[in-house]
Amino acid sequence: MKTFLRILAGLVIIGVVALLAFIFVPVQRTEPAQALAADWEPAEGQGEYVLDAADCVACHTSDDGERLAGGRAIASPMGTIWSTNITPDPETGIGEWSYADFRAAMVDGLEPDGTHLYPAMPYENYRLMSEEDIRALYDYLMTEVEPVSNEVQETELSFPFNLRFGIRAWNWLALTHGPGFTPADVPELQQRGQYLVEGPGHCAACHSPRSKFMSQDGVTADEENFLAGGVIDGWNAPALRGEGSDLAKWSVGEVAAYLATGRNAHSTANGEMGLVVEHSLQKLTDEDVLAMAAFLKGVDGDAVDLPESFAAAGPTSLEAAEADETGSATAEMLASADPDMPLGARLYMDNCIGCHFATGKGAPEMFPELQGNSMVVGSETMPLISVILNGVEVPSTAKRPMSLRMQGYGERLSDDEVAELVTWLRGAWGNDAPAVSPADVAKVREAGEAH
Amino acid sequence: MARQEKKKDVVIVGLGWTGSIAGIELAQEGLDIVALERGHDQNTVPNFEYPQQIDELKYGVRLKMMQKPSQQTVTVRRNGGETALPYRQLGSFLPGNGVGGAGTHWNGLNWRPQEVELRLRSYVEETFGADIIPEGMNLGDYPVSYDELEPFFTQFEKVAGISGYAGNLNGEIREGGNPFEGWRSEDFPMPPMPTTYDSSKFRDAAAAMGYHPFPASAGIASTSYVNPYGMQMGPCNFCGFCERFGCYQYSKSSPQTTILGALKRYPNFEYRTQSEVLRVELAEDGQTATGVTYWDEAAQEEVFQPADIVILSSYQLNNVHLMLLSGLGEVYDPLTGEGTLGKNYAYQMNGGISMFFKDEEFNPFVGHGANGICIDDFSISQNDFGAEGFIGGSYWRSGTFNGQPIRNMPLPAGTPAWGAGWKQAIGETYGHAMSIGSHGSHMAYANNHLDLDPTYTDRHGRPLMRMTFNWQDNDLRMNQFMKSKMEPLAASMNPDSMRAGFKGPGAEYDVRPYQTTHNTGGHIMSENAREGAVNRYCQSWKAHNVFAMGAGNFVQNTQYNPTGLVGGLAYHTVNAIRTQYLSNPRPLV
């Protein structure tokens, strides 16, 4: 018995010591595989380019705040996380951070004092970035960004998520890759695309599903669920690969056009993706955008046909597509203008058909296709309902400067009518997604515009 | 004491078509630019939203997109013997208001002038002799040729997104296009719009009489379109709400759809709305402008905006008014022919025939502003002026623009104007009528001119501009000639009845009914400083850093809608500024 108690006491002590160690022994920072030469300096503009490619501005700038001064609310399943001030202000920003401190945040998710960052900061992805890029970004933030004194709100999640040391364990599960980037066996351009997609672009943060521990299920291209589709803040982040995905149907040039301009022959980017286009993708070089598109198209091993250019300046006249076989029955029903058609179809005739047409194919680069549209048939119905109620905007971009705004119909259509319309859209032209209810619409109406 | 703003390289007065063109082309040079716009800002969404926008009563009848006479108007008289009175209610012409200007509410008819129209005096003298030119007609040549303007017409058409089919491609006449148009270096950037039933009926009848029908050239998108600035248009759905309305569909060519989004991205460009320019300020020696003074509506104060270059790109009437108020030339005197400002104000001479067919359904609500099939068989280059006794011509067009119930209810002659008989006729006729329009030239005359009114002032205390204008026999004879040619064509279509509307001998100008907002001239282009207000680059003869855009430059009006020539001249001017003026500011002629 004594022996047993002794063993038990010993185990408890070991346990307590382990727990204390888990909580208090500082986490080791990952060292760079190869240190940069002492006289290494980033190329002109490299740091700002990395900032754009990594879309830092989108999270670290609040709607009416100074650039990079933080304070933006990031919704997470655990509660609201407030983004930090990453200007070089010594008090409220990162002015006192050494390069090693900065690197630890990017690679290990650690603050200088060893506190764990919440993984809303996508260090799962940024840890794949090259040493040169992380360093260039640091130099840019420290020397080219004006310090802004802005004390941002502390993130205060509820128990147990307020115990940040728990992230240490989470990191054991999540950080199974990197640091550093491992290119796949593909041509150089696609490797560059892979780097941008996996690392700075952190596409997997939204477009890969989440594991049961809420880590990204598929961070690198060799993982099965990489970019297989996820859900973020009530939006479907559609699968970027596999049968039935939009990308399987689009050409490399169309993917590139979508990334760089938020619009292509089939679809438009809005909501979360609109922000990515606005703050990040439109600022990348043509070659990098093409590299990302080429990588995404080839991720399942398909041949990649590179276009000579994409989203070129006009004059370009683009004919709208005819109805296809799957959509022809709906198109014919609408064209018949039969007064006995269902209410949803009649509402479509009265409000939507002028731009999206009887074919459901819309018009290239202007009015998105509704047939097979991932927002129309997605598991999350809030975005589609919000677009109909509140309208939506595709941002002005360098190559397509028109800010393309669809008006809202919230004042014109009741909750019942929007539910009829949405339900009809989700079943028209071969679409096959479940109905929505007026209560679903009411909830979205109450919440106001999504973005 | 006026507030003073920081000096700019360029100040643009009015942010419509030509202001937007000047803005983007000069922004590409890296110049620091401000555009001052009298009206409000407006965008497709929210300002032109469906269905609020397609409200005929609000916009079509009550003219909510237009300039209010209380903001600005003119006084009108028919001749020097009358006392001019203010145009207190919009009727005959409808100047626009707000960002985009008339480019937001036009019909989208985009034409180039014929080659001979730009050298009309020489053409008349060479072909028919100078003695056919009537007394009092100021017939002139433009100081720039069609060949010189051709690249700029093409450039504007690419930017504006014009649908059509070239009839003269580098001199080759193409079946199905307009054989009488000036040569085009390239085909239209978009294919022609589809044809409505009335148009195809007209096409068949015209072809049967040996005429040469072709699709109207339309600032309306027939497909999705991307222009050279990357700006975009979406295909038109034929809703029939173009003229007097903003387009909710991104289908109508406008500064909003084709330029402004791209322009606003330039950090060296800014624009201020509710900022009405009151006058151009000249340097002490009067040789250059120092900037403009404007009224800041929000601050309720006058502001001086210094600038190295002043671009006058407001509406024709306003441009002439500003030049008169600022002393940018001598005022034209119709008795002596001396002076240049206000000279050669011209308009348009239009007519048409409505035809009624009990057994035909035209669905007039399926249309757009530039819909139709045209013929140019009676255009300026085709008419024998000597034999017919007039100088001029017209193009004809048939195609429904809209089926709006208040303003588009053509009824057979003899129908009661109200009561049960009227109602019955509406029921029987709506949807069973089609029309052919004649859109004719208007020459310039000593009588028709613009100057400052001696009596009336505007809200800023400035004298109103005075319009002296009346129809002249030459153009009325042209109009009657069109009637005589159009009636047999209309009759060949066998309508149950038809009703012609052509002004004839003795007709006098009436400001009440809408006629057209193609007001032209007043700061005309000329070979020398004696004959006009601006040179071939639309540069002021008086102050070389002032450039005046728009239809005020027209020596006399053409037979076409003015936008194509306005756009071509704007690109021609901006090209001259970019390639000749900036490196060495000076009079370019």
Side-chain angles (χ1 to χ4, degrees):
Chain A
M1 187 66 191
K2 263 187 186 170
T3 313
F4 174 73
L5 283 175
R6 241 186 250 130
I7 292 170
L8 186 66
L11 284 173
V12 167
I13 288 164
I14 291 169
V16 168
V17 169
L19 183 64
L20 289 171
F22 179 78
I23 298 170
F24 294 110
V25 174
V27 179
Q28 289 295 305
R29 293 174 172 179
T30 310
E31 290 305 316
Q34 272 182 312
L36 296 175
D39 60 351
W40 186 87
E41 281 198 11
E44 171 93 24
Q46 185 182 352
E48 187 170 14
Y49 190 79
V50 174
L51 178 101
D52 290 336
D55 202 8
C56 308
V57 172
C59 288
H60 286 281
T61 307
S62 68
D63 278 340
D64 42 12
E66 298 268 358
R67 181 168 173 266
L68 299 173
R72 187 178 193 88
I74 313 287
S76 86
M78 287 83 74
T80 299
I81 294 167
W82 297 89
S83 70
T84 54
N85 181 347
I86 56 169
T87 69
D89 182 59
E91 308 289 325
T92 63
I94 61 169
E96 300 289 334
W97 291 27
S98 66
Y99 174 60
D101 292 340
F102 182 75
R103 190 176 180 285
M106 294 288 286
V107 174
D108 297 314
L110 293 172
E111 291 190 37
D113 66 1
T115 308
H116 288 277
L117 295 169
Y118 285 110
M121 162 74 178
Y123 56 88
E124 287 174 87
N125 315 94
Y126 289 163
R127 71 197 325 261
L128 305 176
M129 288 167 64
S130 70
E131 198 61 28
E132 289 85 350
D133 277 355
I134 296 176
R135 174 65 186 278
L137 178 58
Y138 175 76
D139 283 9
Y140 171 76
L141 289 172
M142 299 310 267
T143 61
E144 291 186 58
V145 173
E146 283 296 313
V148 177
S149 176
N150 181 38
E151 194 72 58
V152 303
Q153 191 164 342
E154 278 289 319
T155 297
E156 289 172 351
L157 303 187
S158 54
F159 182 82
F161 304 113
N162 58 342
L163 303 176
R164 289 200 184 213
F165 61 82
I167 297 170
R168 186 172 196 168
W170 186 89
N171 282 344
W172 294 341
L173 299 166
L175 302 185
T176 55
H177 54 275
F181 167 66
T182 312
D185 184 18
V186 289
E188 200 176 328
L189 184 75
Q190 283 159 256
Q191 288 181 345
R192 172 68 181 163
Q194 180 191 0
Y195 172 73
L196 290 164
V197 167
E198 288 185 357
H202 64 283
C203 306
C206 295
H207 287 280
S208 287
R210 292 275 162 168
S211 72
K212 52 180 175 258
F213 305 107
M214 295 307 295
S215 63
Q216 295 172 27
D217 182 8
V219 176
T220 52
D222 53 352
E223 295 178 80
E224 191 183 351
N225 283 337
F226 177 65
L227 305 182
V231 172
I232 170 100
D233 196 13
W235 292 74
N236 287 101
L240 303 184
R241 59 193 294 190
E243 213 176 315
S245 68
D246 286 336
L247 266 74
K249 292 173 260 175
W250 300 354
S251 69
V252 176
E254 287 170 344
V255 177
Y258 185 87
L259 297 175
T261 71
R263 63 206 85 182
N264 68 10
H266 308 282
S267 194
T268 54
N270 32 54
E272 297 285 344
M273 192 62 196
L275 295 175
V276 178
V277 171
E278 183 178 0
H279 295 300
S280 171
L281 294 168
Q282 67 156 317
K283 298 179 180 173
L284 301 190
T285 63
D286 284 6
E287 194 184 357
D288 275 351
V289 172
L290 201 58
M292 292 174 84
F295 164 68
L296 291 169
K297 274 301 278 185
V299 75
D300 287 322
D302 296 341
V304 172
D305 297 321
L306 291 177
E308 277 181 23
S309 67
F310 62 92
T316 314
S317 163
L318 303 155
E319 293 279 356
E322 298 293 324
D324 59 26
E325 207 177 319
T326 323
S328 61
T330 302
E332 282 162 25
M333 185 270 287
L334 290 169
S336 75
D338 182 348
D340 294 330
M341 70 175 65
L343 178 59
R346 275 171 46 200
L347 290 166
Y348 183 80
M349 294 269 286
D350 285 348
N351 297 286
C352 321
I353 201 166
C355 295
H356 298 282
F357 299 122
T359 59
K361 292 284 191 188
E365 298 211 23
M366 287 295 290
F367 310 131
E369 279 180 10
L370 303 182
Q371 182 185 31
N373 182 311
S374 57
M375 184 196 281
V376 174
V377 300
S379 64
E380 306 303 301
T381 56
M382 177 279 286
L384 176 60
I385 295 170
S386 175
V387 165
I388 292 171
L389 289 176
N390 306 307
V392 74
E393 184 159 20
V394 183
S396 166
T397 64
K399 285 169 174 287
R400 291 289 180 269
M402 176 177 274
S403 136
L404 194 54
R405 187 161 179 91
M406 170 180 151
Q407 64 174 83
Y409 289 81
E411 288 179 18
R412 187 162 153 84
L413 301 177
S414 69
D415 291 351
D416 286 353
E417 288 171 327
V418 173
E420 287 285 345
L421 175 58
V422 169
T423 298
W424 182 81
L425 288 170
R426 283 163 70 83
W429 307 288
N431 291 347
D432 185 17
V436 303
S437 70
D440 296 332
V441 179
K443 211 159 61 185
V444 179
R445 193 189 289 272
E446 203 174 317
E449 189 164 0
H451 281 287
Chain B
M1 183 62 195
R3 187 175 96 218
Q4 180 160 336
E5 284 282 343
K6 191 169 148 285
K7 188 177 176 188
K8 295 280 185 179
D9 296 324
V10 182
V11 61
I12 291 173
V13 180
L15 193 54
W17 265 129
T18 59
S20 301
I21 291 168
I24 195 160
E25 293 290 309
L26 297 178
Q28 289 172 3
E29 295 289 333
L31 299 173
D32 202 13
I33 302 170
V34 61
L36 301 172
E37 166 55 45
R38 176 189 65 193
H40 56 289
D41 205 356
Q42 51 187 354
N43 291 297
T44 303
V45 180
N47 303 82
F48 309 152
E49 274 186 24
Y50 172 88
Q52 293 89 328
Q53 182 62 204
I54 59 168
D55 181 336
E56 188 193 10
L57 184 61
K58 183 172 179 180
Y59 296 98
V61 177
R62 294 178 180 162
L63 306 172
K64 287 293 182 204
M65 291 195 78
M66 307 305 171
Q67 166 184 305
K68 292 176 181 57
S70 60
Q71 285 177 298
Q72 193 163 35
T73 191
V74 292
T75 63
V76 185
R77 60 179 183 172
R78 292 193 182 109
N79 57 60
E82 292 183 350
T83 301
L85 293 172
Y87 178 56
R88 291 179 187 271
Q89 190 172 349
L90 296 184
S92 176
F93 49 89
L94 306 173
N97 195 35
V99 170
T104 59
H105 66 75
W106 68 317
N107 253 336
L109 284 155
N110 190 82
W111 292 84
R112 299 175 175 199
Q114 289 180 325
E115 289 150 298
V116 295
E117 290 189 277
L118 297 183
R119 50 183 300 276
L120 194 55
R121 182 170 193 101
S122 299
Y123 170 70
V124 168
E125 287 179 357
E126 288 158 16
T127 314
F128 307 104
D131 52 349
I132 73 155
I133 301 171
E135 175 80 22
M137 182 189 286
N138 288 347
L139 188 64
D141 288 349
Y142 283 66
V144 57
S145 72
Y146 183 92
D147 288 358
E148 288 170 298
L149 288 177
E150 201 288 331
F152 303 104
F153 292 142
T154 301
Q155 189 175 5
F156 178 66
E157 287 160 6
K158 287 179 183 175
V159 168
I162 307 299
S163 303
Y165 183 78
N168 180 344
L169 201 52
N170 290 304
E172 180 209 341
I173 302 302
R174 300 202 306 167
E175 181 76 29
N178 178 6
F180 309 120
E181 69 179 358
W183 64 278
R184 293 174 180 275
S185 53
E186 297 177 47
D187 200 351
F188 285 86
M190 266 183 283
M193 293 288 286
T195 303
T196 50
Y197 176 52
D198 54 349
S199 303
S200 58
K201 204 171 163 65
F202 171 75
R203 180 182 57 210
D204 295 346
M209 294 190 80
Y211 302 144
H212 301 82
F214 61 91
S217 58
I220 308 283
S222 59
T223 66
S224 269
Y225 184 67
V226 182
N227 83 0
Y229 302 130
M231 292 292 287
Q232 296 171 262
M233 297 163 75
C236 170
N237 69 17
F238 284 71
C239 83
F241 286 83
C242 296
E243 190 176 49
R244 306 191 185 191
F245 304 90
C247 177
Y248 62 79
Q249 176 95 0
Y250 299 94
S251 302
K252 184 163 70 177
S253 173
S254 67
Q256 275 82 354
T257 50
T258 66
I259 301 175
L260 289 171
L263 176 54
K264 289 175 191 176
R265 292 181 67 88
Y266 283 88
N268 48 325
F269 172 83
E270 65 162 313
Y271 66 111
R272 303 180 197 140
T273 57
Q274 312 287 346
S275 300
E276 180 177 11
V277 173
L278 302 177
R279 60 191 171 273
V280 179
E281 305 289 356
L282 297 183
E284 272 180 28
D285 65 1
Q287 301 302 299
T288 54
T290 57
V292 301
T293 296
Y294 69 94
W295 176 251
D296 179 339
E297 190 70 40
Q300 290 287 301
E301 64 178 348
E302 285 194 9
V303 182
F304 175 56
Q305 175 61 62
D308 287 333
I309 297 177
V310 175
I311 307 274
L312 297 177
S313 50
S314 65
Y315 190 63
Q316 172 263 354
L317 293 170
N318 196 54
N319 263 9
V320 179
H321 191 212
L322 283 175
M323 292 176 82
L324 285 165
L325 290 166
S326 310
L328 281 163
E330 298 300 318
V331 181
Y332 176 67
D333 181 341
L335 299 175
T336 64
E338 298 296 314
T340 59
L341 283 180
K343 182 179 177 182
N344 286 15
Y345 171 71
Y347 205 36
Q348 207 87 67
M349 178 58 78
N350 300 337
I353 295 179
S354 294
M355 288 162 285
F356 303 92
F357 299 84
K358 282 194 187 68
D359 300 324
E360 305 261 22
E361 295 274 1
F362 292 106
N363 291 343
F365 39 82
V366 179
H368 62 89
N371 183 31
I373 294 292
C374 304
I375 59 168
D376 245 350
D377 293 87
F378 301 101
S379 60
I380 284 184
S381 68
Q382 299 306 302
N383 295 331
D384 185 339
F385 302 155
E388 303 298 346
F390 64 83
I391 295 170
S394 81
Y395 81 86
W396 299 4
R397 178 171 72 120
S398 178
T400 177
F401 329 152
N402 69 71
Q404 293 163 27
I406 305 174
R407 297 174 305 128
N408 200 357
M409 287 282 192
L411 294 169
T415 306
W418 60 284
W422 177 80
K423 283 185 189 167
Q424 189 185 347
I426 290 288
E428 287 169 0
T429 309
Y430 185 78
H432 300 287
M434 63 170 281
S435 64
I436 309 169
S438 162
H439 189 277
S441 59
H442 194 289
M443 296 301 129
Y445 303 90
N447 180 75
N448 295 340
H449 66 105
L450 305 166
D451 59 4
L452 292 175
D453 190 273
T455 308
Y456 294 96
T457 56
D458 69 8
R459 66 197 189 106
H460 304 293
R462 304 176 303 172
L464 291 185
M465 190 163 70
R466 177 170 64 180
M467 174 187 291
T468 305
F469 178 79
N470 208 358
W471 304 119
Q472 304 293 319
D473 285 346
N474 173 75
D475 305 315
L476 292 166
R477 278 199 299 275
M478 180 276 292
N479 214 32
Q480 288 298 306
F481 170 80
M482 296 303 162
K483 181 173 187 248
S484 73
K485 297 293 181 186
M486 195 184 286
E487 280 176 335
L489 175 59
S492 77
M493 295 162 74
N494 295 316
D496 298 310
S497 66
M498 54 194 233
R499 184 174 189 173
F502 286 85
K503 285 180 277 287
E508 295 210 272
Y509 181 51
D510 181 346
V511 295
R512 294 168 302 172
Y514 183 71
Q515 286 152 76
T516 177
T517 310
H518 303 163
N519 313 81
T520 69
H523 59 77
I524 65 169
M525 307 169 80
S526 58
E527 288 285 358
N528 57 62
R530 196 172 37 79
E531 292 180 7
V534 299
N535 65 23
R536 67 199 313 270
Y537 302 110
C538 303
Q539 179 186 35
S540 165
W541 287 114
K542 164 88 179 173
H544 65 74
N545 62 341
V546 175
F547 294 82
M549 304 289 212
N553 294 303
F554 291 12
V555 176
Q556 59 262 328
N557 202 0
T558 74
Q559 61 202 329
Y560 300 114
N561 310 64
T563 309
L565 180 52
V566 166
L569 286 174
Y571 275 105
H572 180 252
T573 292
V574 174
N575 181 62
I577 296 174
R578 294 180 75 161
T579 60
Q580 300 180 52
Y581 187 78
L582 289 177
S583 58
N584 180 13
R586 67 197 188 283
L588 295 175
V589 175

